[in-house]
């Protein structure tokens, strides 16, 4: 297994899937589709769809995982577009480009986010309509992860805690829901499509949870230590926005220690999964040392 070749191959599958499975700007309303694709095609690491493909490749694999990978990236991109709006983080730069509301306008950005979210569910319903049980399982997984008790709930508590004390427990709630829920859902969806058994699906979910928590801790560290050029978004925004982060609550040294602990828990669980886990383990370890 060559890590760089494998991740590149997965990313190419995702890019081709985005091209195939999202409306083109030739479709009316052109402005809306242009804005959706502007944010989707701006790149990004594609971690969530890559994780879905990695989870899928653990098992015997009968079905096409690419539409589900695109659905996860659509939902993720919607959350970034809305997160950047002036009413939320008010960020002008995303994925190395002007944010959606800066490039277009706020109304178009709100609608592009809404449309990407809705499109994610349409894709899971449509592309897997020949396998209704799988389709429903994927819809259940993604809608739960994106809902008020997971991603949106985490974002809500993040905003609420900007103005009040935040305990370590509150911060873990925020990180586990705002970030880890979708990362975990992506890996779990891959395992569902490859028809792994219940034990493996629950293990995949746990791997994703710990990986997602590590991912957000590293994100907090990078915001405090990285450069705008490397990050493709404005560095130091968390402290400007008085965000509660691991670095603010625990300091850099303990944050790095915690990221190491949860990364190694994820790797240990991964070793219990059936199938060839070499790429997944390499990906988890690579994410701990990323620079963007
Ligand atoms: C419902 C109005 C409304 C808004 C929702 C839920 C939400 C807004 C925002 C939360 C999403 C968010 C910004 C979570 C933080 C997770 C995170 C680290 C995002 C960046 O992910 P990367 O680094 O980004 O994978 P790329 O660009 O590489 O895909």
């Amino acid at each position: 297994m060559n890590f760089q070749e494998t991740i590149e191959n997965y990313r190419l599958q995702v890019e081709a899937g985005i091209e195939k499975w999202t409306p083109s700007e030739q479709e009316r309303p052109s402005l809306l589709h242009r804005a959706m694709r502007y944010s989707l095609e701006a790149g990004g690491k594609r971690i969530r769809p890559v994780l879905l493909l990695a989870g899928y490749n653990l098992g015997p694999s009968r079905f096409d995982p690419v539409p589900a990978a695109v659905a996860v990236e659509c939902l993720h991109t919607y959350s970034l577009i809305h997160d950047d709006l002036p009413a939320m983080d008010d960020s002008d730069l995303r994925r190395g480009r002007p944010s959606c509301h800066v490039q277009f306008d706020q109304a178009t950005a709100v609608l592009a986010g809404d449309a990407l979210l809705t499109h994610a569910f349409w894709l899971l319903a449509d592309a897997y309509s020949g396998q209704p049980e799988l389709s429903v399982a994927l819809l259940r997984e993604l809608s739960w992860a994106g809902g008020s008790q997971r991603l949106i709930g985490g974002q809500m508590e993040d905003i609420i805690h900007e103005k009040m004390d935040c305990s370590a427990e509150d911060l873990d709630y925020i990180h586990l829901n705002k970030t880890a829920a979708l990362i975990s859902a992506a890996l779990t969806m891959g395992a569902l499509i490859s028809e792994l058994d219940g034990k493996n699906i629950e293990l995949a979910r746990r791997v994703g949870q710990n990986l997602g928590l590590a991912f957000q801790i590293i994100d907090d560290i990078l915001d405090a230590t990285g450069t705008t050029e490397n990050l493709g978004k404005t560095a130091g925004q968390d402290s400007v926005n008085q965000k509660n982060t691991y670095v603010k609550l625990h300091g850099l040294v303990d944050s790095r220690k915690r990221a190491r602990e949860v990364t190694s828990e994820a790797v240990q669980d991964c070793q219990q999964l059936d199938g060839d886990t070499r790429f997944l383990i390499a990906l988890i370890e690579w994410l701990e040392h990323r620079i963007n």
Side-chain angles (χ1 to χ4, degrees):
M1 190 274 312
N2 178 313
F3 177 73
Q4 279 307 333
E5 266 176 32
T6 310
I7 195 168
E8 214 32 58
N9 174 284
Y10 285 157
R11 281 178 173 149
L12 287 173
Q13 290 184 51
V14 174
E15 303 309 324
I18 288 173
E19 178 55 32
K20 176 173 173 187
W21 291 100
T22 48
S24 88
E25 69 174 88
Q26 310 331 318
E27 304 277 342
R28 193 170 171 180
S30 175
L31 176 64
L32 181 61
H33 296 134
R34 189 143 41 91
M36 289 161 73
R37 279 181 169 249
Y38 170 83
S39 292
L40 263 181
E41 290 170 354
K45 295 178 289 301
R46 309 297 194 207
I47 293 311
R48 296 152 190 82
V50 163
L51 269 171
L52 188 148
L53 297 178
Y56 168 77
N57 279 314
L58 292 172
S61 334
R62 269 193 300 159
F63 308 119
D64 182 5
V66 174
V70 173
V72 167
E73 190 65 10
C74 283
L75 193 140
H76 168 58
T77 305
Y78 123 80
S79 79
L80 299 182
I81 293 175
H82 281 193
D83 192 51
D84 289 338
L85 286 167
M88 298 229 182
D89 268 6
D90 196 7
S91 304
D92 288 351
L93 196 64
R94 172 67 68 179
R95 294 176 161 172
R97 292 180 175 191
S99 308
C100 193
H101 68 275
V102 174
Q103 181 71 15
F104 297 90
D105 54 47
Q106 284 194 53
T108 308
V110 169
L111 293 176
D114 291 343
L116 283 167
L117 173 63
T118 314
H119 188 67
F121 299 124
W122 176 83
L123 251 180
L124 295 178
D126 189 69
Y128 300 95
S129 57
Q131 291 82 42
E133 272 190 32
L134 176 61
S135 183
V136 169
L138 295 173
L139 281 160
R140 183 186 295 122
E141 195 68 37
L142 192 61
S143 54
W144 177 250
S148 65
Q149 294 174 75
R150 291 288 180 262
L151 186 141
I152 298 176
Q155 176 80 351
M156 185 78 254
E157 291 248 353
D158 195 6
I159 292 169
I160 290 169
H161 283 93
E162 275 170 32
K163 296 182 184 69
M164 57 163 78
D165 283 349
C166 182
S167 66
E169 197 192 345
D170 294 328
L171 189 63
D172 278 345
Y173 173 93
I174 292 167
H175 282 17
L176 281 167
N177 291 298
K178 184 180 80 164
T179 307
L182 186 56
I183 288 181
S184 179
L187 188 58
T188 308
M189 288 165 75
L192 284 167
I193 303 170
S194 85
E195 300 179 289
L196 292 183
D197 63 21
K199 175 187 140 246
N200 275 279
I201 287 169
E202 287 320 306
L203 260 176
R205 195 187 302 286
R206 212 163 66 200
V207 169
Q209 282 255 108
N210 279 321
L211 171 61
L213 181 55
F215 188 87
Q216 185 59 56
I217 298 171
I218 301 290
D219 199 75
D220 290 354
I221 294 172
L222 287 174
D223 185 82
T225 60
T227 62
T228 298
E229 195 189 358
N230 276 342
L231 296 177
K233 60 181 182 179
T234 313
Q237 279 291 94
D238 288 343
S239 117
V240 171
N241 290 337
Q242 296 181 297
K243 286 268 176 200
N244 288 295
T245 68
Y246 249 72
V247 178
K248 185 172 165 192
L249 249 74
H250 302 284
L252 262 178
V253 173
D254 282 354
S255 298
R256 288 209 171 97
K257 208 167 126 203
R258 182 78 181 128
R260 178 85 290 269
E261 277 167 14
V262 276
T263 298
S264 81
E265 275 174 46
V267 169
Q268 275 167 32
D269 280 337
C270 233
Q271 284 158 346
Q272 313 297 316
L273 281 165
D274 290 342
D276 183 350
T277 54
R278 281 175 301 169
F279 174 77
L280 198 50
I281 290 175
L283 179 65
I284 292 169
E285 280 170 348
W286 177 76
L287 285 171
E288 189 191 345
H289 302 291
R290 69 200 169 94
I291 56 158
N292 69 9

